[in-house]
Amino acid sequence: MLPLATELDVLTRFGRALADPIRCRLLLVLREAPGYPSDLAEALGISRTRLSNHLACLRDCGLVVAAPEGRRTRYELADERLGHALDDLRTAVLAVEADKTCADAAEKGCC
């Protein structure tokens, strides 16, 4: 039996996954529907090798699962709630982006 991750581990893994723009785009594509590596690479405009590295990271983070289908492998979000979480994060960030509260945002690259 696999051990359950702590709340802190879960948030850290999610943060690591979201730290890369390609992984963010990949999660958003998978939010819409499961996909096969060749289709995902084409949709993102990246090589299959590069896609494979990002899929490995997302699998290691527990956000994406691979489902073998004959000779092919289909990738999908590990839990449908992740799609809802991504939607919530996108709308929260959009709401915050318009209201930069940090006076040093430009210098620090934050907020």
Side-chain angles (χ1 to χ4, degrees), residues 82-100:
L82 291 171
H84 300 293
L86 290 167
D87 288 338
D88 289 344
L89 284 170
R90 286 183 321 125
T91 57
V93 170
L94 288 175
V96 172
E97 189 173 299
D99 178 25
K100 295 191 182 235

Side-chain angles (χ1 to χ4, degrees), residues 36-55:
Y36 299 96
S38 58
D39 299 330
L40 294 169
E42 185 177 327
L44 297 173
I46 61 174
S47 70
R48 294 265 317 262
T49 302
R50 196 165 178 199
L51 175 77
S52 178
N53 291 334
H54 288 291
L55 284 171

Side-chain angles (χ1 to χ4, degrees), residues 22-38:
I22 291 175
R23 287 194 294 272
C24 288
R25 290 175 48 215
L26 180 53
L27 287 169
L28 292 173
V29 168
L30 291 174
R31 181 180 119 262
E32 296 298 322
Y36 299 96
S38 58

